Amino acid sequence: AQSVTQLGSHVSVSEGALVLLRCNYSSSVPPYLFWYVQYPNQGLQLLLKYTSAATLVKGINGFEAEFKKSETSFHLTKPSAHMSDAAEYFCAVTSNTGNQFYFGTGTSLTVIP
Amino acid sequence: KAGVTQTPRYLIKTRGQQVTLSCSPISGHRSVSWYQQTPGQGLQFLFEYFSETQRNKGNFPGRFSGRQFSNSRSEMNVSTLELGDSALYLCASSSGYTDSSGANVLTFGAGSRLTVL
């Protein structure tokens, strides 16, 4: 069965610093992988998705993620953190049929001014 | 186009009561999924409906049920509420099929925050 593990439930970075949020997946077949962001009192919003077209995926708000099969990882990065990036971030993988999503436990990002 | 609409946004119930939450998906979407979000457990999958049929189900007790109507709107019901049912309930819609990239993408509503006293 598919699953994802997010390392670090809380990450703090200074404004302007590199953001790195970690996600490792477990899948018996090539997966579809996603990053979602949740702002306070809101639902989840799609940041980016990996669909095997390219290993480096660019998303909204300057985020990108790199698929590394050898490391079974799909870490999310942003070169320079902004205060507005403070939110909860979720990594997800879909089932073989693509109909069921498995979410990580989330990483709360704090940006320090 | 309009997004996913969940009602009510906030509600308070007492133990033993039952609650019904509603979700209107994006127009044209035939799949609706429900998730329970709590601080300790993250997002837990409840069930997914596609064309009025439950297609996938998570590991929740039978007190949690759902249905989908012919217009793709969905409701979920929780009976005999317990304190532990306090959570944010998220609905997500999708076409139910893979898109041109091969992926199925979920679009979430803002959620219904249930507090059980």
Side-chain angles (χ1 to χ4, degrees):
Chain A
Q2 284 81 354
S3 66
V4 290
T5 302
Q6 291 184 243
L7 298 176
S9 57
H10 298 276
V11 171
S12 294
V13 300
S14 297
E15 189 174 16
L18 171 72
V19 176
L20 171 61
L21 305 181
R22 301 177 185 274
C23 173
N24 287 88
Y25 69 91
S26 171
S27 175
S28 57
V29 297
Y32 294 128
L33 292 158
F34 304 78
W35 276 99
Y36 281 84
V37 61
Q38 184 180 33
Y39 299 102
N41 298 316
Q42 295 186 27
L44 278 69
Q45 178 184 358
L46 180 68
L47 269 179
L48 50 80
K49 64 181 180 182
Y50 167 75
T51 60
S52 78
T55 56
L56 183 63
V57 183
K58 295 188 183 298
I60 62 173
N61 301 338
F63 284 94
E64 61 183 35
E66 186 172 9
F67 174 75
K68 292 186 176 181
K69 184 177 180 179
S70 61
E71 299 177 7
T72 60
S73 69
F74 190 57
H75 301 331
L76 182 71
T77 60
K78 182 174 181 178
S80 177
H82 191 272
M83 295 298 294
S84 60
D85 294 328
E88 187 94 16
Y89 292 81
F90 293 91
C91 181
V93 64
T94 58
S95 61
N96 295 348
T97 60
N99 298 326
Q100 187 166 344
F101 281 62
Y102 300 89
F103 284 86
T105 50
T107 298
S108 177
L109 176 66
T110 299
V111 181
I112 304 167
Chain B
K1 55 184 179 182
V4 179
T5 303
Q6 291 190 245
T7 57
R9 286 293 313 277
Y10 302 91
L11 66 166
I12 299 174
K13 294 286 186 177
T14 57
R15 281 180 299 173
Q17 287 187 311
Q18 67 92 28
V19 66
T20 299
L21 309 178
S22 178
C23 173
S24 294
I26 289 174
S27 178
H29 282 188
R30 297 172 64 184
S31 171
V32 173
S33 301
W34 288 90
Y35 292 83
Q36 180 195 67
Q37 185 179 19
T38 57
Q41 299 293 322
L43 275 85
Q44 302 290 309
F45 173 72
L46 282 155
F47 27 66
E48 183 228 0
Y49 285 86
F50 179 79
S51 293
E52 302 180 65
T53 300
Q54 187 179 86
R55 190 161 63 172
N56 291 292
K57 188 178 186 302
N59 296 322
F60 276 80
R63 298 186 298 108
F64 292 82
S65 63
R67 59 178 175 171
Q68 187 179 33
F69 302 94
S70 58
N71 61 358
S72 293
R73 189 178 71 85
S74 177
E75 290 181 347
M76 68 162 283
N77 183 78
V78 188
S79 62
T80 320
L81 284 166
E82 301 176 359
L83 296 179
D85 296 333
S86 294
L88 180 66
Y89 290 88
L90 291 165
C91 164
S93 80
S94 73
S95 65
Y97 305 101
T98 56
D99 63 12
S100 58
S101 70
N104 186 28
V105 178
L106 296 180
T107 301
F108 283 83
S112 293
R113 184 166 296 281
L114 170 65
T115 302
V116 181
L117 301 176

